[in-house]
Amino acid sequence: MTLEEEILALKAERKAVILAHNYTRGEVQDIADFTGDSLELSRKAAECRAPVIAFCGVRFMAETAKILSPGAIVLHPAPNAGCPMADMADAGAVRAWRAGHPGVVMVAYVNTTAATKTAVDICCTSGNAERVIASIPADREIMFLPDANLGANLSRKLGRRMLLWQGCCPTHNALDPARIEKARAAHPGAVVMIHPECPVATVEAADVALSTGGMLKYARESDAKSFIVATEEGILHRLRRENPGKEFFPVEPPLRCPNMKKLTLENLRDSLRDMAPRIELDAETIRLARAPIDRMLAI
Ligand code: 13P
Ligand code: SF4
């Protein structure tokens, strides 16, 4: 049996659903039942009736799946695949930050731990952040965490002042405008799609700022034939597969999230075989962390 056949046999035996983020390895995306961005994966987890979810993404995403589908066993095949940005906003420090701002609305990017989600009012992803911010009355102060780049990009686009937690994604924060210009010079006329986790100056040097799901939609619907993709390189797999007549170029050197690459066919097979490692969260954390996610999904 090939590794893929083993996974498919175990998946059937366990009645499992495999969910994968757009940044995972191509072979992991290919075997998944559904591949998507953070928002799409949250929606899938919320509607999922399977007894087992094998989650191929970083830990906060698997935690979100457990929060939204608490009755399911959520397997996280690479338990050391964390998100450094999520780890930059410790729940205790976030509560202390909030303490000096009575009446504030605290908005947390989903890239936060389950514990930190228990301290906030509403979540957002890069796919719905504009709608979430726009839903907050203009006279309310907003605290945004943990991504200062996403917060600054939103603030600039919506003309809304926000207090920003100083976290970042090390993968996207390292992309400077010079690398965009270099890519434009190498691929004249290509549309530059960028992720809003990049710094403001770099986003200004690009053409459109989108979530990974937004990039897939934009590329599909656009008349353009070539694109520069300024986000984690894993997204190129779907962009190329779903748009055979179009060309997609990474910036050079490509952006790479080492944690997303920790999900492999081997550890996916092992987790389905062993039914471990699992995401375990206590009932109170699930209850409190679910409220800001539900508010986001209702928008
Ligand atoms: P999206 O797929 O929601 O755009 O998120 C990107 C990301 O960095 C996830 O960690
Ligand atoms: Fe976290 Fe950045 Fe990796 Fe996304 S790409 S999981 S934000 S480190």
Side-chain angles (χ1 to χ4, degrees):
M1 256 207 270
T2 65
L3 198 45
E4 282 87 351
E5 286 166 347
E6 273 188 84
I7 291 169
L8 293 176
L10 284 162
K11 187 180 87 130
E13 191 183 320
R14 306 299 193 195
K15 299 186 172 48
V17 162
I18 301 173
L19 302 182
H21 188 266
N22 289 324
Y23 291 160
T24 53
R25 296 166 186 274
E27 63 270 24
V28 171
Q29 297 186 33
D30 286 345
I31 205 145
D33 294 290
F34 180 80
T35 303
D37 70 9
S38 313
L39 181 61
E40 293 161 342
L41 290 167
S42 301
R43 291 221 162 95
K44 275 283 162 202
E47 71 194 29
C48 185
R49 297 287 167 267
V52 178
I53 299 173
F55 200 100
C56 300
V58 293
R59 184 176 171 91
F60 77 81
M61 297 179 176
E63 284 186 347
T64 303
K66 179 69 184 174
I67 292 163
L68 290 168
S69 213
I73 292 170
V74 176
L75 300 172
H76 190 214
N80 63 346
C83 168
M85 182 205 283
D87 294 338
M88 287 175 197
D90 161 77
V94 167
R95 281 182 210 283
W97 191 43
R98 177 179 196 134
H101 299 266
V104 75
V105 179
M106 200 169 238
V107 183
Y109 194 24
V110 278
N111 298 39
T112 38
T113 63
T116 295
K117 286 187 177 76
T118 68
V120 309
D121 299 304
I122 187 163
C123 287
C124 73
T125 74
S126 52
N128 64 8
E130 289 180 26
R131 272 180 286 141
V132 168
I133 301 293
S135 76
I136 299 168
D139 60 345
R140 298 288 299 276
E141 186 176 32
I142 297 177
M143 292 176 120
F144 187 89
L145 66 123
D147 188 0
N149 286 337
L150 176 61
N153 281 309
L154 285 166
S155 200
R156 196 174 150 275
K157 182 150 187 206
L158 300 173
R160 184 94 189 241
R161 208 180 77 82
M162 300 194 286
L163 298 171
L164 305 179
W165 187 268
Q166 292 302 309
C168 72
C169 163
T171 300
H172 288 91
N173 191 50
L175 186 62
D176 61 16
R179 246 154 97 197
I180 301 289
E181 295 317 330
K182 205 174 112 197
R184 278 198 201 275
H187 308 290
V191 175
V192 183
M193 301 190 293
I194 194 165
H195 199 280
E197 287 177 9
C198 293
V200 170
T202 316
V203 170
E204 277 175 354
D207 296 316
V208 276
L210 297 161
S211 70
T212 59
M215 288 183 191
L216 285 151
K217 182 169 185 290
Y218 186 90
R220 188 168 60 240
E221 293 174 356
S222 168
D223 291 333
K225 291 281 178 269
S226 70
F227 301 84
I228 292 161
V229 184
T231 191
E232 215 279 343
E233 62 177 359
I235 184 83
L236 291 164
H237 182 72
R238 273 189 72 191
L239 282 168
R240 288 177 177 148
R241 193 187 57 200
E242 293 175 15
N243 301 280
K246 300 183 179 182
E247 286 186 301
F248 298 92
F249 307 102
V251 289
E252 292 296 344
L255 272 56
R256 200 173 158 85
C257 173
N259 286 292
M260 286 286 184
K261 303 308 176 220
K262 289 178 184 166
L263 282 301
T264 63
L265 289 182
E266 283 78 7
N267 56 34
L268 175 58
R269 185 264 324 267
D270 293 351
S271 72
L272 284 165
R273 182 193 61 210
D274 304 340
M275 291 296 280
R278 299 182 187 192
I279 297 287
E280 306 280 9
L281 295 171
D282 64 77
E284 188 62 355
T285 299
I286 290 179
R287 189 180 71 79
L288 293 172
R290 183 163 181 143
I293 302 173
D294 279 345
R295 281 185 205 113
M296 165 184 89
L297 292 175
I299 282 177

